[in-house]
Amino acid sequence: EYLNGKWTSAHLLEGKLNTNFNEGAQTFSADGECLIFTGCNYPEGYGNCDLYISYKNKNGEWMPGENLGPFINTDLWESTPSLSADKQILYFSSTQHGGFGGKDIWMCKKVGPGKWGKPINAGPQINTSADETCPFIHADNTTFYFNSNGHAGYGMTDLFLSRKDSSGAWGIPMNLGYPINTIDDEGSLVVRADGKSAYYA
C-alpha cells in the first residue's frame, strides 16, 4: 500500500486466494471487489496457465479462485488479464489457436453474472506474428497499452499505446518512446485513473 508518500512492506492478500501453486499477473476491478489472476500448474487447469477469478467477501478476505472455464482457457497459455473499469470487457494474452502468431491479445465481453462470451482476437492492428502481451485498458475505456516484440521498437520488447475510436476500432499503435522503452525488455504497465502517472516493469 502507498501511505503517506511511502510504500509499506509487501504482505499476502488476506483470505484463501494463494495456494501451493503459482499465482501471478492480476487485474483488480475498479471497485476493488473482484480480482482476475493467472494461476499456473493448478491440477484442475485446462492448460499450464489459466485465468481465475476471486471475489472479496464481507470480511474483506479473498475467496479461492474459480477457473474462468473453457470458453476463455485452453490447453495452451492464458495470462496477463486486464479488466475494463465497467467490468464488461476482459483483455488477456494467449497462445490459443486462431491468432496471428506467438502470443496474441484477446478480448471477451461479459454476458451475464459470472459468464463471459467467446474470446475475440484484438485484430491485426494490435497483434503481429510475434508476441503481444500485458494488455492494460485505462479507466477511460478507450486508451489501451500493451507490450510487443513484433511492432517496430527500440529493443527486445517495447510498450505501445492504441486508442479506440467511436466505432470500436483500434488506432495504429504508437511506441511510448525513450526513456520508457530501451534496448532491453519493457513489461507490464499500469496507468493511474487520472492519467498523470504510471508504473511499469
Side-chain angles (χ1 to χ4, degrees), residues 25 47 65 79 93 99 150 152-154 161-162 169 193 196-197 199:
S79 187
S93 182
Y154 292 81
L161 175 154
S162 177
K196 293 182 179 179
S197 60
Y199 304 89

Side-chain angles (χ1 to χ4, degrees), residues 15-33:
K16 300 178 180 178
L17 173 67
N18 290 306
T19 70
N20 292 328
F21 301 104
N22 296 319
E23 290 80 33
Q26 75 289 319
T27 179
F28 287 87
S29 61
D31 61 12
E33 295 303 311

Side-chain angles (χ1 to χ4, degrees), residues 110-152:
K110 196 170 188 178
V111 295
K115 295 182 179 180
W116 297 91
K118 185 177 176 62
I120 299 170
N121 190 284
Q125 194 80 295
I126 299 292
N127 293 310
T128 69
S129 60
D131 293 332
E132 282 69 44
T133 63
C134 302
F136 176 77
I137 185 69
H138 188 258
D140 64 9
N141 212 24
T142 298
T143 311
F144 187 67
Y145 300 87
F146 64 98
N147 74 359
S148 172
N149 58 15
H151 293 281

